[in-house]
Amino acid sequence: RLYRLAWSLCGSPHVAEDLVQETYLRVLARPRRVRNSDSFAYLARTLRNVTTDHRRSESSRERRRSSSCP
């Protein structure tokens, strides 16, 4: 379910895999209590944050590439 959400957010199955892995890394790095009914919502919110960070990173790389090319 989380993978399908990631794929819908980024449009790439390969990037979606990376985003889901990063999401689980973040969640496991800072464990917290989540009620069963809230667990997917928490994961989805974390995935959206990971996706936003990924897009910012990609945008920053693109700007650096374009500024270094004549």
Side-chain angles (χ1 to χ4, degrees), residues 37-54:
S37 62
D38 295 334
S39 61
F40 183 75
Y42 177 67
L43 288 171
R45 190 168 45 252
T46 305
L47 173 66
R48 287 186 182 101
N49 292 338
V50 167
T51 303
T52 300
D53 292 347
H54 175 77

Side-chain angles (χ1 to χ4, degrees), residues 1-67:
R1 198 170 156 194
L2 192 63
Y3 172 75
R4 287 191 311 253
L5 176 60
W7 193 352
S8 72
L9 291 172
C10 70
S12 166
H14 302 292
V15 174
E17 288 177 12
D18 293 341
L19 294 174
V20 169
Q21 287 179 8
E22 179 64 28
T23 298
Y24 281 115
L25 285 172
R26 282 194 192 182
V27 168
L28 292 172
R30 292 188 176 164
R32 62 178 269 196
R33 289 189 131 167
V34 178
R35 285 182 257 143
N36 289 337
S37 62
D38 295 334
S39 61
F40 183 75
Y42 177 67
L43 288 171
R45 190 168 45 252
T46 305
L47 173 66
R48 287 186 182 101
N49 292 338
V50 167
T51 303
T52 300
D53 292 347
H54 175 77
R55 287 182 179 152
R56 285 182 187 149
S57 175
E58 288 297 311
S59 175
S60 176
R61 279 190 215 131
E62 288 297 320
R63 277 187 263 129
R64 278 186 268 148
R65 273 191 220 139
S66 65
S67 66

